[in-house]
Amino acid sequence: MSAFLTHEPIDLAALIRRVSGADRGGIATFLGLVRNHQDGRAVLRLEYSSYEAMAEAESARIVAEATGRWPVAIALEHRLGALEIGDAAVAVVAASAHRAAAFEACRYVIEEVKRRVPVWKKEFYADGSVEWVDPTRMAAPIVTAPGQ
Amino acid sequence: MSAFLTHEPIDLAALIRRVSGADRGGIATFLGLVRNHQDGRAVLRLEYSSYEAMAEAESARIVAEATGRWPVAIALEHRLGALEIGDAAVAVVAASAHRAAAFEACRYVIEEVKRRVPVWKKEFYADGSVEWVDPTRMAAPIVTAPGQ
Amino acid sequence: MTVGPSTSARTLTLKVLLFATYAEQAGRESVVLTLPDPATVADVLHHLRSSVPGLDRLPIQPLAAVNQAHARLTAPVRDGDEVAFLPPLAGG
Amino acid sequence: MTVGPSTSARTLTLKVLLFATYAEQAGRESVVLTLPDPATVADVLHHLRSSVPGLDRLPIQPLAAVNQAHARLTAPVRDGDEVAFLPPLAGG
């Protein structure tokens, strides 16, 4: 059950090694790094949490969809727990003999992960406030205290 | 003149660090690895050579085109000299606040590099033959001896 | 804790999982719920909103999952299912 | 080495660079060429093919560059230009 979720720092080079075979010379990757601001507010750190069993199952479904649709091998990892600014929160690696397939599969996987994998992000701001990030809202709402 | 060409192993993590800023949380990369076969023949090793002054100039033009067209920072490196199977020959990193821009710019740069940057590849095969790779031919021609 | 009507002829018992803001609003991460059979995800939502303090603030149409897969509000639920309501996803 | 006609009124002198298969065919990596002015990249190609041993095998329409930028065969060349003929590119 720990194929796609990790509490450790993401090791992109290790993920690349996992999928780059003799036949797969084209490697497209996507890394999502923690930014130091959200809607104009300074972020100090954040915590990712998840519905882990479903996140693993949904990630496996997404990877299966991608490998069924393109001739690729996929590595996918999403980090949970406390992250610092600049840390990688998610990594996707798509390796293929075909460059176009690697790019398309990599893009597909990250888009579907963001759309479907149950992960939530709690941000801790420089002004002391804390908030669960809601990407469906255009701008951040008024501060919500933790535990409220 | 050594901005884009290198004779050293490509360090993807260093390239990512070079372009990933506080505002650029989306990092798309492409790595081209040396494959162990070409048109069905086993490759032992290969050598990349270049028209270096033009390769630098053309690479700079491609990067300028990408950064003019998308809100991205780009790192690009092509390795020259003797490479082993599995080594990275080329790396492109596109960093942006916008995931779509990172992917599109990364793809643009690698496509243009392959189309426009003057680099040549000499492959040394398991059967003792040596050949300059010609991607414009569908299949490899009869063996050409080195220096011929 | 079991919440729900007790007068139904046939019932189904579900475990409902809550996460992130929803868990904070409810003050808990799971609820065991017994409902008349048949029932849909929407019925589960309705019972949660009306019977669990704090969950009256759940949105009208939250993301939902049944047995660790996304599900529509019209999807049926069966005895023993694991139902979850998911705040807006923010991974990646 | 200078290769080219000696009877023109005005001439231009170019450095021509050769790479990979083309350099191996010519047995050299550069040629200095003097041509009647005006001239195009195609004129440079024609002179190379007819006067440098081994370069008669150059393709009819190779990739070309003038002063480190891609150029069409119809592009003019000027005195002092660096002209290059490029075998099929194989980078990346």
Side-chain angles (χ1 to χ4, degrees):
Chain A
M1 291 301 291
S2 65
F4 301 109
L5 299 175
T6 178
H7 283 76
E8 303 302 314
I10 289 175
D11 182 346
L12 180 63
L15 295 179
I16 291 173
R17 279 193 301 273
R18 192 190 297 171
V19 293
S20 63
D23 246 19
R24 297 187 289 264
I27 315 284
T29 81
F30 181 79
L31 270 184
L33 307 184
V34 175
R35 289 172 301 174
N36 68 353
H37 71 282
Q38 175 80 19
D39 293 318
R41 283 195 289 170
V43 176
L44 296 181
R45 64 189 179 84
L46 47 73
E47 286 175 11
Y48 280 97
S49 60
S50 177
Y51 176 8
E52 296 197 20
M54 178 176 169
E56 291 286 358
E58 195 69 20
S59 296
R61 285 189 282 267
I62 292 167
V63 168
E65 289 161 12
T67 56
R69 189 163 158 186
W70 292 278
V72 293
I74 300 284
L76 165 62
E77 209 163 77
H78 200 300
R79 188 172 168 191
L80 300 179
L83 273 73
E84 305 288 328
I85 306 304
D87 283 348
V90 65
V92 179
V93 181
S96 178
H98 305 282
R99 187 162 71 254
F103 272 108
E104 288 164 21
C106 185
R107 182 81 190 271
Y108 177 81
V109 169
I110 187 63
E111 298 297 337
E112 295 304 297
V113 164
K114 287 182 165 270
R115 202 169 68 83
R116 293 161 50 185
V117 174
V119 169
W120 299 279
K121 179 164 61 170
K122 196 177 208 175
E123 289 186 335
F124 297 77
Y125 301 98
D127 63 8
S129 61
V130 177
E131 192 169 293
W132 290 101
V133 173
D134 180 355
T136 65
R137 283 188 289 213
M138 296 303 289
I142 303 305
V143 170
T144 302
Q148 185 180 322
Chain B
M1 291 299 290
S2 64
F4 302 107
L5 300 175
T6 178
H7 283 76
E8 304 301 317
I10 289 175
D11 182 346
L12 181 63
L15 295 179
I16 291 173
R17 280 193 299 274
R18 193 192 295 171
V19 292
S20 62
D23 246 16
R24 296 188 289 265
I27 315 283
T29 81
F30 180 80
L31 270 185
L33 307 185
V34 175
R35 288 172 303 174
N36 67 353
H37 71 281
Q38 175 79 20
D39 292 319
R41 283 195 290 170
V43 176
L44 296 181
R45 64 189 180 85
L46 48 72
E47 286 175 12
Y48 280 97
S49 62
S50 176
Y51 176 8
E52 296 197 19
M54 180 176 167
E56 290 287 0
E58 196 69 20
S59 296
R61 285 189 282 267
I62 291 167
V63 168
E65 289 161 12
T67 55
R69 190 162 157 187
W70 292 278
V72 294
I74 299 284
L76 165 62
E77 208 162 76
H78 200 300
R79 188 171 167 193
L80 300 178
L83 273 74
E84 306 287 330
I85 307 304
D87 284 348
V90 65
V92 179
V93 181
S96 178
H98 306 281
R99 189 163 70 253
F103 272 107
E104 288 164 20
C106 185
R107 181 83 190 269
Y108 177 81
V109 169
I110 187 61
E111 298 298 336
E112 294 303 297
V113 163
K114 287 185 163 270
R115 202 169 68 83
R116 292 161 49 185
V117 173
V119 169
W120 299 280
K121 177 163 62 169
K122 197 179 208 173
E123 289 185 333
F124 297 76
Y125 302 98
D127 63 9
S129 62
V130 178
E131 193 170 291
W132 290 100
V133 174
D134 180 354
T136 66
R137 284 188 289 213
M138 295 303 289
I142 303 305
V143 169
T144 302
Q148 183 180 322
Chain C
M1 174 183 143
T2 298
V3 180
S6 58
T7 56
S8 55
R10 279 183 66 188
T11 62
L12 45 81
T13 300
L14 307 165
K15 183 173 189 183
V16 180
L17 303 181
L18 301 168
F19 298 93
T21 43
Y22 299 170
E24 291 184 354
Q25 286 167 15
R28 69 182 69 180
E29 296 185 336
S30 67
V31 179
V32 173
L33 203 65
T34 298
L35 290 180
D37 190 6
T40 64
V41 174
D43 294 325
V44 178
L45 177 63
H46 176 75
H47 278 268
L48 279 182
R49 289 171 60 91
S50 59
S51 61
V52 178
L55 290 189
D56 55 322
R57 288 190 288 159
L58 279 178
I60 303 300
Q61 298 198 0
L63 284 179
V66 175
N67 297 333
Q68 303 165 11
H70 288 286
R72 296 172 186 274
L73 294 184
T74 54
V77 290
R78 296 182 177 79
D79 189 60
D81 279 353
E82 178 177 294
V83 178
F85 291 101
L86 314 174
L89 308 185
Chain D
M1 174 183 144
T2 300
V3 180
S6 59
T7 55
S8 57
R10 280 183 67 189
T11 62
L12 45 81
T13 299
L14 308 164
K15 184 174 188 181
V16 181
L17 303 181
L18 301 167
F19 298 93
T21 44
Y22 299 169
E24 291 184 354
Q25 285 166 16
R28 69 183 68 183
E29 295 185 336
S30 67
V31 179
V32 174
L33 202 66
T34 298
L35 290 180
D37 191 6
T40 65
V41 174
D43 295 325
V44 178
L45 176 64
H46 176 75
H47 280 268
L48 280 182
R49 289 171 61 91
S50 59
S51 61
V52 177
L55 290 189
D56 54 325
R57 289 190 286 159
L58 280 177
I60 304 298
Q61 297 198 1
L63 284 178
V66 174
N67 297 333
Q68 303 166 10
H70 288 287
R72 296 172 187 274
L73 294 182
T74 53
V77 291
R78 296 185 176 78
D79 190 59
D81 277 355
E82 178 178 294
V83 178
F85 293 101
L86 313 174
L89 308 184

